[in-house]
Amino acid sequence: LLGTLLGLLAGYAGGWVETLIMRFSDILNSLPLIMFVVILVLILRRALPPSPISGMLTLAVSFAAVGWVSLARLIRGAVLQIKNQLFMEASRSLGASGWHLVFRHVLPNVLNIILIWVVNTTPTVILLEAILGYLGVQVTGTAVGSGNEFSVISWGGLFYDGRAALIRNPFMLLIPALCVLAISMSFTLHGDFLSETTRRAEEI
C-alpha cells in the first residue's frame, strides 16, 4: 500500500513532490537492509504496547519501512509512461479530476506490476525474517493479562530453536531451512511465470 501510493503520487504529481519522494527513497536504498531492519525491530519492540500481535506488528512495520522503495520506483516509472497516453488526455478533456484519473485509469494499468512485485518480493521477506530469527531477533508476543512473553511460530523462531539444538539434533535447523528454500524457489518461479505471461500479453 505504501509503495503503491507513493509511486502513484511521485509519478503523477511530479515536480518537488516527485523529487522529495525519490530522494528519500535514495537515502533508504543507501542503508544496509538487514542492519536497518534490526534497528527498527529493536526500537519498536520497546515502543509498542504489549499485546499478542506486537511481534508480528513490529516485523510488518519494519519491513514496510524499507520494502516500499523498490515498488514505488517501479510504479513511478509506469505512471510516467501512462499519464501522457491518449486515453488519459481524453479523460482530462472530459473534465476528469486528478484523483479520478489516478484511481480509475492509472492504478488498474499498474496492478500487474504490483502483483509481480509482491510475488517476487515475498521470498526476500521470508529469508529476512528467517535471518533475523537466526540472529535472535525473533517474533514474540505478550499474553494479555499475564505479562509473560511467548514465542510465536515463525520461520525465524524455528531457525532460532534449531540453532540452539544444532549439535544434538541438526534436523531442527535443516528441515526449516529446506522448507524456506522450497517456498522461496516456488515464489521465484511463479514470479518468473507471471512476468513472462505479462510480457507475452503486452506483445499480443
Side-chain angles (χ1 to χ4, degrees):
L1 289 175
L2 183 61
T4 300
L5 291 175
L6 290 177
L8 289 172
L9 183 61
Y12 192 81
W16 66 269
V17 176
E18 179 184 12
T19 302
L20 181 63
I21 295 174
M22 290 299 101
R23 293 299 78 79
F24 185 61
S25 67
D26 290 338
I27 294 173
L28 290 180
N29 258 341
S30 65
L31 299 174
L33 177 62
I34 295 180
M35 185 64 66
F36 187 57
V37 172
V38 168
I39 293 173
L40 284 176
V41 168
L42 294 178
I43 292 174
L44 291 173
R45 283 175 71 170
R46 296 180 179 274
L48 291 176
S51 72
I53 64 170
S54 59
M56 294 298 295
L57 187 60
T58 296
L59 284 179
V61 172
S62 301
F63 292 160
V66 297
W68 65 268
V69 175
S70 58
L71 179 58
R73 288 180 170 276
L74 289 173
I75 297 297
R76 169 185 168 270
V79 172
L80 291 177
Q81 294 179 354
I82 294 172
K83 72 176 186 178
N84 293 322
Q85 293 187 10
L86 292 178
F87 69 90
M88 294 289 288
E89 295 293 339
S91 297
R92 289 192 193 95
S93 65
L94 293 174
S97 64
W99 291 109
H100 176 86
L101 291 172
V102 168
F103 290 102
R104 179 75 176 182
H105 298 293
V106 177
L107 184 58
N109 281 285
V110 298
L111 287 178
N112 60 327
I113 297 175
I114 299 172
L115 176 60
I116 294 172
W117 179 87
V118 168
V119 174
N120 287 326
T121 307
T122 300
T124 304
V125 176
I126 293 174
L127 290 173
L128 183 57
E129 192 274 330
I131 292 172
L132 292 178
Y134 186 82
L135 297 175
V137 188
Q138 60 198 52
V139 182
T140 57
T142 303
V144 177
S146 67
N148 296 322
E149 196 174 69
F150 62 90
S151 294
V152 178
I153 298 300
S154 67
W155 293 120
L158 293 176
F159 273 45
Y160 185 77
D161 295 339
R163 185 189 67 170
L166 183 60
I167 302 299
R168 68 176 184 273
N169 188 3
F171 287 100
M172 287 186 65
L173 181 60
L174 179 61
I175 298 302
L178 291 176
C179 290
V180 168
L181 177 62
I183 291 174
S184 299
M185 289 181 62
S186 299
F187 273 102
T188 301
L189 293 174
H190 190 53
D192 292 341
F193 171 76
L194 289 176
S195 299
E196 182 66 19
T197 303
T198 302
R199 185 185 64 80
R200 290 181 179 178
E202 290 176 350
E203 290 178 354
I204 294 175

